[in-house]
mmCIF file of all heavy atoms in Angstrom:
data_model
loop_
_atom_site.group_PDB
_atom_site.id
_atom_site.type_symbol
_atom_site.label_atom_id
_atom_site.label_comp_id
_atom_site.label_asym_id
_atom_site.label_seq_id
_atom_site.Cartn_x
_atom_site.Cartn_y
_atom_site.Cartn_z
ATOM 1 N N GLY A 1 -16.690 58.153 -88.116
ATOM 2 C CA GLY A 1 -17.598 59.174 -87.590
ATOM 3 C C GLY A 1 -17.292 60.459 -88.387
ATOM 4 O O GLY A 1 -16.416 60.445 -89.253
ATOM 5 N N VAL A 2 -18.001 61.528 -88.137
ATOM 6 C CA VAL A 2 -17.696 62.781 -88.857
ATOM 7 C C VAL A 2 -17.242 63.793 -87.827
ATOM 8 O O VAL A 2 -17.844 64.006 -86.777
ATOM 9 C CB VAL A 2 -18.979 63.269 -89.637
ATOM 10 C CG1 VAL A 2 -19.259 62.385 -90.794
ATOM 11 C CG2 VAL A 2 -20.177 63.411 -88.706
ATOM 12 N N GLY A 3 -16.132 64.449 -88.169
ATOM 13 C CA GLY A 3 -15.507 65.376 -87.252
ATOM 14 C C GLY A 3 -16.317 66.608 -87.005
ATOM 15 O O GLY A 3 -16.031 67.389 -86.084
ATOM 16 N N ARG A 4 -17.412 66.779 -87.744
ATOM 17 C CA ARG A 4 -18.299 67.944 -87.523
ATOM 18 C C ARG A 4 -19.354 67.607 -86.473
ATOM 19 O O ARG A 4 -20.099 68.489 -86.093
ATOM 20 C CB ARG A 4 -18.941 68.396 -88.791
ATOM 21 C CG ARG A 4 -19.737 67.333 -89.543
ATOM 22 C CD ARG A 4 -20.117 67.845 -90.961
ATOM 23 N NE ARG A 4 -20.995 66.882 -91.649
ATOM 24 C CZ ARG A 4 -20.543 65.914 -92.430
ATOM 25 N NH1 ARG A 4 -19.226 65.754 -92.566
ATOM 26 N NH2 ARG A 4 -21.387 65.090 -93.073
ATOM 27 N N ASN A 5 -19.365 66.408 -85.922
ATOM 28 C CA ASN A 5 -20.277 66.047 -84.826
ATOM 29 C C ASN A 5 -19.857 64.727 -84.215
ATOM 30 O O ASN A 5 -20.475 63.674 -84.453
ATOM 31 C CB ASN A 5 -21.686 65.969 -85.357
ATOM 32 C CG ASN A 5 -22.691 66.095 -84.244
ATOM 33 O OD1 ASN A 5 -22.409 66.391 -83.082
ATOM 34 N ND2 ASN A 5 -24.017 65.895 -84.571
ATOM 35 N N LEU A 6 -18.826 64.772 -83.385
ATOM 36 C CA LEU A 6 -18.248 63.581 -82.797
ATOM 37 C C LEU A 6 -17.793 63.896 -81.406
ATOM 38 O O LEU A 6 -17.107 64.905 -81.178
ATOM 39 C CB LEU A 6 -17.064 63.087 -83.656
ATOM 40 C CG LEU A 6 -16.252 61.923 -83.163
ATOM 41 C CD1 LEU A 6 -17.082 60.654 -83.125
ATOM 42 C CD2 LEU A 6 -15.003 61.732 -84.077
ATOM 43 N N MET A 7 -18.096 63.004 -80.464
ATOM 44 C CA MET A 7 -17.719 63.205 -79.072
ATOM 45 C C MET A 7 -16.929 62.028 -78.564
ATOM 46 O O MET A 7 -17.283 60.846 -78.806
ATOM 47 C CB MET A 7 -18.983 63.383 -78.188
ATOM 48 C CG MET A 7 -18.750 63.488 -76.667
ATOM 49 S SD MET A 7 -20.247 63.763 -75.732
ATOM 50 C CE MET A 7 -20.413 65.552 -75.909
ATOM 51 N N TYR A 8 -15.830 62.316 -77.855
ATOM 52 C CA TYR A 8 -15.072 61.254 -77.192
ATOM 53 C C TYR A 8 -14.294 61.774 -76.018
ATOM 54 O O TYR A 8 -14.121 62.994 -75.829
ATOM 55 C CB TYR A 8 -14.146 60.534 -78.210
ATOM 56 C CG TYR A 8 -13.249 61.427 -79.053
ATOM 57 C CD1 TYR A 8 -12.210 62.170 -78.518
ATOM 58 C CD2 TYR A 8 -13.424 61.488 -80.419
ATOM 59 C CE1 TYR A 8 -11.406 62.975 -79.294
ATOM 60 C CE2 TYR A 8 -12.588 62.294 -81.222
ATOM 61 C CZ TYR A 8 -11.558 62.998 -80.646
ATOM 62 O OH TYR A 8 -10.736 63.775 -81.426
ATOM 63 N N GLU A 9 -13.737 60.829 -75.254
ATOM 64 C CA GLU A 9 -12.915 61.187 -74.110
ATOM 65 C C GLU A 9 -11.541 61.543 -74.653
ATOM 66 O O GLU A 9 -10.971 60.774 -75.418
ATOM 67 C CB GLU A 9 -12.858 60.050 -73.109
ATOM 68 C CG GLU A 9 -14.219 59.645 -72.541
ATOM 69 C CD GLU A 9 -14.183 58.327 -71.847
ATOM 70 O OE1 GLU A 9 -13.067 57.704 -71.713
ATOM 71 O OE2 GLU A 9 -15.229 57.808 -71.393
ATOM 72 N N ARG A 10 -10.967 62.645 -74.219
ATOM 73 C CA ARG A 10 -9.732 63.123 -74.786
ATOM 74 C C ARG A 10 -8.533 62.295 -74.322
ATOM 75 O O ARG A 10 -7.535 62.160 -75.103
ATOM 76 C CB ARG A 10 -9.489 64.589 -74.548
ATOM 77 C CG ARG A 10 -9.133 64.962 -73.151
ATOM 78 C CD ARG A 10 -8.806 66.433 -73.014
ATOM 79 N NE ARG A 10 -8.405 66.762 -71.651
ATOM 80 C CZ ARG A 10 -7.355 67.519 -71.337
ATOM 81 N NH1 ARG A 10 -6.587 68.001 -72.306
ATOM 82 N NH2 ARG A 10 -7.076 67.789 -70.093
ATOM 83 N N ALA A 11 -8.547 61.752 -73.089
ATOM 84 C CA ALA A 11 -7.379 61.091 -72.543
ATOM 85 C C ALA A 11 -6.900 59.892 -73.372
ATOM 86 O O ALA A 11 -5.718 59.764 -73.697
ATOM 87 C CB ALA A 11 -7.619 60.686 -71.083
ATOM 88 N N PRO A 12 -7.801 58.951 -73.789
ATOM 89 C CA PRO A 12 -7.348 57.861 -74.621
ATOM 90 C C PRO A 12 -6.783 58.293 -75.974
ATOM 91 O O PRO A 12 -5.846 57.626 -76.460
ATOM 92 C CB PRO A 12 -8.651 57.014 -74.812
ATOM 93 C CG PRO A 12 -9.526 57.415 -73.678
ATOM 94 C CD PRO A 12 -9.203 58.874 -73.462
ATOM 95 N N VAL A 13 -7.365 59.358 -76.550
ATOM 96 C CA VAL A 13 -6.854 59.826 -77.864
ATOM 97 C C VAL A 13 -5.457 60.420 -77.717
ATOM 98 O O VAL A 13 -4.560 60.151 -78.540
ATOM 99 C CB VAL A 13 -7.856 60.856 -78.453
ATOM 100 C CG1 VAL A 13 -7.310 61.363 -79.784
ATOM 101 C CG2 VAL A 13 -9.231 60.197 -78.698
ATOM 102 N N LEU A 14 -5.278 61.257 -76.688
ATOM 103 C CA LEU A 14 -3.977 61.818 -76.470
ATOM 104 C C LEU A 14 -2.935 60.739 -76.138
ATOM 105 O O LEU A 14 -1.746 60.819 -76.559
ATOM 106 C CB LEU A 14 -3.998 62.851 -75.310
ATOM 107 C CG LEU A 14 -4.619 64.205 -75.660
ATOM 108 C CD1 LEU A 14 -4.670 65.085 -74.435
ATOM 109 C CD2 LEU A 14 -3.739 64.904 -76.723
ATOM 110 N N GLN A 15 -3.329 59.758 -75.383
ATOM 111 C CA GLN A 15 -2.438 58.636 -75.090
ATOM 112 C C GLN A 15 -2.003 57.925 -76.367
ATOM 113 O O GLN A 15 -0.850 57.564 -76.528
ATOM 114 C CB GLN A 15 -3.089 57.658 -74.124
ATOM 115 C CG GLN A 15 -2.214 56.545 -73.696
ATOM 116 C CD GLN A 15 -2.871 55.607 -72.672
ATOM 117 O OE1 GLN A 15 -4.019 55.732 -72.363
ATOM 118 N NE2 GLN A 15 -2.093 54.695 -72.096
ATOM 119 N N ALA A 16 -2.957 57.754 -77.253
ATOM 120 C CA ALA A 16 -2.658 57.034 -78.540
ATOM 121 C C ALA A 16 -1.650 57.863 -79.346
ATOM 122 O O ALA A 16 -0.744 57.345 -79.933
ATOM 123 C CB ALA A 16 -3.960 56.807 -79.298
ATOM 124 N N LEU A 17 -1.920 59.226 -79.466
ATOM 125 C CA LEU A 17 -1.046 60.067 -80.260
ATOM 126 C C LEU A 17 0.291 60.272 -79.662
ATOM 127 O O LEU A 17 1.283 60.412 -80.359
ATOM 128 C CB LEU A 17 -1.759 61.434 -80.434
ATOM 129 C CG LEU A 17 -3.056 61.424 -81.272
ATOM 130 C CD1 LEU A 17 -3.714 62.789 -81.232
ATOM 131 C CD2 LEU A 17 -2.755 61.001 -82.689
ATOM 132 N N ASP A 18 0.366 60.267 -78.324
ATOM 133 C CA ASP A 18 1.657 60.543 -77.656
ATOM 134 C C ASP A 18 2.471 59.298 -77.358
ATOM 135 O O ASP A 18 3.725 59.374 -77.279
ATOM 136 C CB ASP A 18 1.434 61.296 -76.331
ATOM 137 C CG ASP A 18 0.882 62.673 -76.551
ATOM 138 O OD1 ASP A 18 1.068 63.253 -77.617
ATOM 139 O OD2 ASP A 18 0.196 63.206 -75.621
ATOM 140 N N GLN A 19 1.781 58.131 -77.199
ATOM 141 C CA GLN A 19 2.515 56.984 -76.724
ATOM 142 C C GLN A 19 2.416 55.736 -77.642
ATOM 143 O O GLN A 19 3.307 54.855 -77.551
ATOM 144 C CB GLN A 19 1.982 56.569 -75.318
ATOM 145 C CG GLN A 19 2.164 57.673 -74.299
ATOM 146 C CD GLN A 19 1.557 57.305 -72.941
ATOM 147 O OE1 GLN A 19 1.450 56.107 -72.659
ATOM 148 N NE2 GLN A 19 1.178 58.282 -72.160
ATOM 149 N N ASP A 20 1.454 55.679 -78.514
ATOM 150 C CA ASP A 20 1.308 54.554 -79.414
ATOM 151 C C ASP A 20 1.983 54.916 -80.756
ATOM 152 O O ASP A 20 1.412 55.608 -81.610
ATOM 153 C CB ASP A 20 -0.173 54.228 -79.644
ATOM 154 C CG ASP A 20 -0.409 52.915 -80.371
ATOM 155 O OD1 ASP A 20 0.385 52.629 -81.221
ATOM 156 O OD2 ASP A 20 -1.389 52.257 -80.083
ATOM 157 N N GLU A 21 3.218 54.416 -80.943
ATOM 158 C CA GLU A 21 3.958 54.796 -82.126
ATOM 159 C C GLU A 21 3.324 54.318 -83.433
ATOM 160 O O GLU A 21 3.367 55.012 -84.473
ATOM 161 C CB GLU A 21 5.390 54.236 -82.016
ATOM 162 C CG GLU A 21 6.230 54.853 -80.916
ATOM 163 C CD GLU A 21 7.604 54.322 -80.838
ATOM 164 O OE1 GLU A 21 7.942 53.478 -81.720
ATOM 165 O OE2 GLU A 21 8.346 54.688 -79.938
ATOM 166 N N ASP A 22 2.683 53.172 -83.417
ATOM 167 C CA ASP A 22 2.036 52.652 -84.610
ATOM 168 C C ASP A 22 0.866 53.497 -85.015
ATOM 169 O O ASP A 22 0.707 53.844 -86.194
ATOM 170 C CB ASP A 22 1.578 51.190 -84.419
ATOM 171 C CG ASP A 22 2.750 50.216 -84.275
ATOM 172 O OD1 ASP A 22 3.825 50.530 -84.770
ATOM 173 O OD2 ASP A 22 2.526 49.169 -83.627
ATOM 174 N N PHE A 23 0.026 53.911 -84.027
ATOM 175 C CA PHE A 23 -1.095 54.754 -84.370
ATOM 176 C C PHE A 23 -0.651 56.113 -84.792
ATOM 177 O O PHE A 23 -1.179 56.698 -85.707
ATOM 178 C CB PHE A 23 -2.076 54.858 -83.152
ATOM 179 C CG PHE A 23 -3.247 55.727 -83.412
ATOM 180 C CD1 PHE A 23 -4.287 55.232 -84.217
ATOM 181 C CD2 PHE A 23 -3.364 57.019 -82.933
ATOM 182 C CE1 PHE A 23 -5.411 56.024 -84.538
ATOM 183 C CE2 PHE A 23 -4.455 57.819 -83.207
ATOM 184 C CZ PHE A 23 -5.485 57.309 -84.005
ATOM 185 N N ALA A 24 0.362 56.682 -84.105
ATOM 186 C CA ALA A 24 0.883 58.013 -84.496
ATOM 187 C C ALA A 24 1.410 57.982 -85.913
ATOM 188 O O ALA A 24 1.225 58.942 -86.695
ATOM 189 C CB ALA A 24 1.950 58.471 -83.519
ATOM 190 N N ALA A 25 2.074 56.905 -86.292
ATOM 191 C CA ALA A 25 2.614 56.807 -87.669
ATOM 192 C C ALA A 25 1.479 56.707 -88.663
ATOM 193 O O ALA A 25 1.577 57.323 -89.758
ATOM 194 C CB ALA A 25 3.516 55.581 -87.755
ATOM 195 N N LEU A 26 0.413 55.970 -88.322
ATOM 196 C CA LEU A 26 -0.738 55.924 -89.211
ATOM 197 C C LEU A 26 -1.454 57.272 -89.288
ATOM 198 O O LEU A 26 -1.873 57.679 -90.370
ATOM 199 C CB LEU A 26 -1.729 54.882 -88.631
ATOM 200 C CG LEU A 26 -3.051 54.688 -89.387
ATOM 201 C CD1 LEU A 26 -2.855 54.262 -90.824
ATOM 202 C CD2 LEU A 26 -3.944 53.720 -88.631
#
């Protein structure tokens, strides 16, 4: 997607960044 026009639910993204070590490393 393009960050200049993209919508998503914030909770799953924060969960990925805070709790999913593989995704955070990527």
Side-chain angles (χ1 to χ4, degrees):
V2 291
R4 56 191 185 270
N5 200 8
L6 175 64
M7 175 178 277
Y8 50 68
E9 300 166 5
R10 72 174 182 134
V13 177
L14 282 175
Q15 183 177 7
L17 293 173
D18 293 336
Q19 301 178 25
D20 189 325
E21 294 182 3
D22 292 336
F23 180 75
L26 177 61

